[in-house]
Amino acid sequence: DFELLARGGGRAGVSAGHERSFADQAASLGWGGLEALQEALRPWHDADLGASMVPPIELGRCLSGVGLQLEEQELADLVLGLGCDKEGRVDGGEVLQAFEDAVLAEATQDFSRVPGPFELIPGGPHLVHDHDPQGQGGGVGFGGG
């Protein structure tokens, strides 16, 4: 069915082929995994920068710590797909957004219904975004609260 292929068949549309393992595992871990990952990334949050910039090796540890097991090449592909700053660090907010996109796409099975845009709000304990169709929290960034 062309329409299903065009949408990426659910979470497959959220990530490129080389990030499929990340998307599959993120969808499997669900909202609880997203919240655990947010907490795991918290030590790298810089309030002055308004972002959580994480070295790739530490990102690998965070992902592993929440139960997401990626091969070294899969982690490298994820990092390259998300991009790095001039110091070689990955934006934790982008990692959280990719994780949430996979969870939402699995829940809706329709990539076109994944909400956005997302907002990074530094300093708070909660994840935030402008839409939560499941009513279960979730979102990207560190929200005020």
Side-chain angles (χ1 to χ4, degrees), residues 7-97:
R7 288 187 304 161
R11 69 177 173 270
V14 173
S15 63
H18 60 271
E19 297 169 357
R20 179 141 323 146
S21 179
F22 171 85
D24 287 345
Q25 292 182 59
S28 176
L29 292 170
W31 294 110
L34 179 66
E35 291 173 6
L37 182 57
Q38 181 217 9
E39 287 305 313
L41 294 174
R42 187 173 297 284
W44 286 276
H45 184 69
D46 182 335
D48 294 333
L49 200 72
S52 298
M53 302 307 293
V54 186
I57 191 77
E58 296 300 331
L59 175 61
R61 289 184 183 131
C62 289
L63 294 172
S64 179
V66 301
L68 205 145
Q69 303 300 317
L70 297 177
E71 298 293 327
E72 188 174 324
Q73 186 60 51
E74 291 170 329
L75 177 61
D77 289 342
L78 177 66
V79 168
L80 289 173
L82 294 172
C84 296
D85 68 0
K86 64 183 178 180
E87 296 175 26
R89 301 172 302 174
V90 179
D91 184 335
E94 289 185 21
V95 176
L96 290 170
Q97 183 166 346

Side-chain angles (χ1 to χ4, degrees), residues 53-54 65 82 103 116 120-121 126:
M53 302 307 293
V54 186
L82 294 172
V103 172
L120 179 66
I121 301 176
H126 305 293

Side-chain angles (χ1 to χ4, degrees), residues 26-36 38 99-100 103-104 106-108 115 125-140:
S28 176
L29 292 170
W31 294 110
L34 179 66
E35 291 173 6
Q38 181 217 9
F99 195 108
E100 182 181 43
V103 172
L104 284 171
E106 176 69 10
T108 63
H126 305 293
L127 294 164
V128 296
H129 61 69
D130 64 346
H131 180 68
D132 181 19
Q134 303 300 317
Q136 300 177 19
V140 295

